Amino acid sequence: MENKSFWNSGHKPSLFGAFLYFDFSFMVWVLIGPLSVLIANDYDMTAAQKANLVALPILGGSILRIVFGFLTDYIGPKRTGQLGMILTLLPLLWGWKFIGSLGDLYIVALLLGVAGASFAAALPLASRWYPPEYQGLAMGIAGAGNSGTVFATLFANRLAVHFGSWEAVFGLAMIPIAIALIVFTIFAKEAPNRPAPKKLVHYLNILKQRDTWLFCIMYSITFGGFVGLSNYLTIFFNAQYGLSAVRAADFTTFCVIAGSLFRPVGGFLSDRLGGIKMLIVLFAGAGIMFAFVSTIPTLYAALALLFVGMMCLGMGNGSVFQLVPQRFRDEIGLITGIVGAAGGVGGYLLPNILGNLYQATGSYTTGFLTLSGITLLSVIMMFVIQGKWKKQWLANGGKASLQSDI
C-alpha cells in the first residue's frame, strides 16, 4: 500500500529521467579512477600524483555543483540537466582525440567535474515531485544514479584493453551521454510546485545558517567517502595486492555496488526510522570497517570489510538527503548544490589523504585509520546536534513531519 502511494504521488518519467541523467553522468565523472592504472603506464607518476589525478574530477564537480545549483533554481533542473550533458561531451572529446601530455590529462580530469555537477539538477528534479514523507525514497532512487560508477569500474579497463587505448574509452563514453540527453529531454518534466527564483541575498543567507554547514560535514563524509574510494580503490588493490588493472577494477566494482545499490535503502529506512538514527548507526559501522581495513588483512577480508564500509556510506548518502529537503524545502536546488559540493570536497581530499600518507609511510594503515577516526567522530557530532534540531524542526529521529512548513 505504501509503495503504491509513493508511485502515485509523483511523476515516474521525471524520476527515471533524473536517475538516468545522474547514472551516466556519474559514470563519466569517475572514469579516470579505474583507468588510472593503465594511464600510469604511459605517464610516470608518483603515488601522490596518481591520487591527485583521480581526485581532480571530484574537485571540478564540487566547484560546478554550486553553479548548477544556482542554475537549477533560476532556469529549472531540466534545462540545467540538458546543459550539463551537452557540456560533458566536450572533455570526453578532448580526452579521446587531443590529449598529448600529463598537463592535458589534468585539464580533462578537472573538466569532467561538469558530469559530477549533475547531482545539483537531478536530485531537485526528483525531489520537487514528491511530498515530505517520501523524500528519502525519491531522493534515494534518483541518487542511486551513483551506480554509474559500476559501469566505469567494470567496463572502462576492459574496453581500453580491447581497443588497445585508454583514450578510446572517452570517445565511447560519449554514446551513453547522448542517449541520456535524448531520453531526459523527452521524459523529464518540471514539477508544478517549482518555487520562484530568489535573489542572490537569499542564497547568501543560506550559507550563514549553521545547519547548512552541518549537512555539508555529513555529506562530505558519506558521499565524499563513497566517491573518493570509488576513484581510488583500483589504485589501492593494484598497489597493495598486486592485482592487474582489470582485476583491481573488478574488486572495486564489488565495493561500489554496495554503496550504490544501498543508497535507496538508506533513504527508505530513514523515511521510517529517521535520518538521524540511521546516520548514527551508519557512521559507526563505516568507522569500524575502516579500522579493520587499516590492519591490511588478506585480500578477500579487505574486500568484505570495504564492501560493508561502502554500503554504510551509500546508505548514509540516502539518509542525509532524507533530512535536507525537510530543512530546506524551498531552497532545495541551491542547498543540493552546496551540500553536493561539500561531498565533492570530501571526495577530493580522501584520495589525496590515502595517496600522500602511502607515499610518506609506505603503508595504507595510517590512511585508513584516519578515515576511521573521522567517521567515528561523526557519531559524536550526530548525538550533539540532534537535540537542538528536535527543538527547531526535526520530527522523531528525523522522520518527516507531514505538517512541516519549512
Side-chain angles (χ1 to χ4, degrees):
M1 184 67 179
E2 291 183 351
N3 286 338
K4 183 177 180 181
S5 297
F6 167 77
W7 290 116
N8 290 337
S9 65
H11 188 249
K12 293 187 287 294
S14 292
L15 183 61
F16 173 72
F19 167 81
L20 191 67
Y21 164 39
F22 193 31
D23 193 58
F24 286 153
S25 294
F26 212 99
M27 175 194 71
V28 168
W29 193 31
V30 301
L31 197 58
I32 286 182
L35 289 174
S36 59
V37 174
L38 295 177
I39 292 172
N41 292 332
D42 292 341
Y43 298 101
D44 188 27
M45 291 181 283
T46 65
Q49 287 176 317
K50 290 179 185 177
N52 189 49
L53 175 64
V54 301
L56 279 175
I58 310 176
L59 178 63
S62 300
I63 297 169
L64 290 171
R65 280 184 182 193
I66 297 177
V67 177
F68 273 45
F70 183 87
L71 289 173
T72 293
D73 274 0
Y74 264 84
I75 66 175
K78 180 173 181 177
R79 290 182 180 177
T80 303
Q82 290 170 317
L83 176 64
M85 282 181 274
I86 292 171
L87 292 177
T88 298
L89 294 171
L90 301 180
L92 288 176
L93 179 62
W94 190 346
W96 178 28
K97 290 293 185 182
F98 302 110
I99 287 182
S101 66
L102 185 58
D104 288 341
L105 189 58
Y106 280 150
I107 295 173
V108 168
L110 190 62
L111 292 178
L112 285 177
V114 72
S118 59
F119 183 98
L123 267 65
L125 178 68
S127 173
R128 289 172 179 170
W129 278 104
Y130 291 87
E133 65 269 28
Y134 291 125
Q135 283 297 307
L137 185 54
M139 297 285 264
I141 291 173
N146 59 27
S147 60
T149 310
V150 174
F151 296 123
T153 56
L154 191 59
F155 296 115
N157 286 338
R158 284 183 166 83
L159 289 171
V161 171
H162 178 75
F163 288 97
S165 166
W166 52 264
E167 292 94 339
V169 180
F170 289 101
L172 292 169
M174 297 175 70
I175 298 173
I177 292 295
I179 293 172
L181 176 59
I182 294 170
V183 173
F184 187 82
T185 299
I186 294 172
F187 292 104
K189 292 183 179 180
E190 299 284 5
N193 61 341
R194 174 186 162 192
K198 295 179 175 60
K199 296 180 180 179
L200 182 60
V201 65
H202 295 145
Y203 299 147
L204 295 176
N205 287 337
I206 293 176
L207 292 172
K208 295 178 182 178
Q209 298 187 46
R210 185 196 64 166
D211 290 352
T212 300
W213 296 102
L214 290 173
F215 281 127
C216 286
I217 292 171
M218 294 178 206
Y219 206 62
S220 69
I221 297 168
T222 60
F223 182 79
F226 168 77
V227 72
L229 286 172
S230 296
N231 268 16
Y232 192 78
L233 282 181
T234 300
I235 295 174
F236 168 71
F237 284 123
N238 172 259
Q240 182 63 47
Y241 297 102
L243 302 184
S244 67
V246 172
R247 193 154 183 251
D250 286 344
F251 273 62
T252 301
T253 300
F254 188 72
C255 299
V256 166
I257 287 173
S260 301
L261 296 187
F262 280 89
R263 178 169 181 149
V265 176
F268 176 83
L269 291 177
S270 295
D271 282 336
R272 282 147 182 78
L273 304 177
I276 291 287
K277 292 179 180 177
M278 286 295 298
L279 284 169
I280 289 173
V281 173
L282 294 170
F283 279 138
I288 293 169
M289 294 302 106
F290 295 147
F292 280 116
V293 174
S294 72
T295 65
I296 313 298
T298 62
L299 173 60
Y300 286 98
L303 180 64
L305 292 167
L306 286 167
F307 179 90
V308 177
M310 290 280 274
M311 179 183 71
C312 290
L313 294 176
M315 293 177 69
N317 292 334
S319 297
V320 171
F321 269 93
Q322 184 266 346
L323 294 169
V324 169
Q326 296 183 57
R327 177 64 179 84
F328 294 103
R329 179 96 182 148
D330 292 336
E331 303 91 0
I332 187 64
L334 187 74
I335 195 66
T336 298
I338 293 171
V339 174
V345 170
Y348 171 74
L349 292 175
L350 187 148
N352 281 292
I353 289 172
L354 291 176
N356 281 280
L357 287 177
Y358 177 74
Q359 183 168 308
T361 66
S363 170
Y364 283 109
T365 294
T366 306
F368 278 104
L369 276 178
T370 301
L371 301 186
S372 175
I374 292 172
T375 51
L376 292 176
L377 284 174
S378 301
V379 176
I380 300 174
M381 180 185 72
M382 300 309 298
F383 276 112
V384 172
I385 65 175
Q386 69 171 333
K388 292 185 178 180
W389 278 3
K390 285 180 180 178
K391 295 177 182 178
Q392 297 169 350
W393 60 271
L394 191 71
N396 182 29
K399 290 188 286 187
S401 172
L402 300 184
Q403 289 77 37
S404 176
D405 60 356
I406 57 173

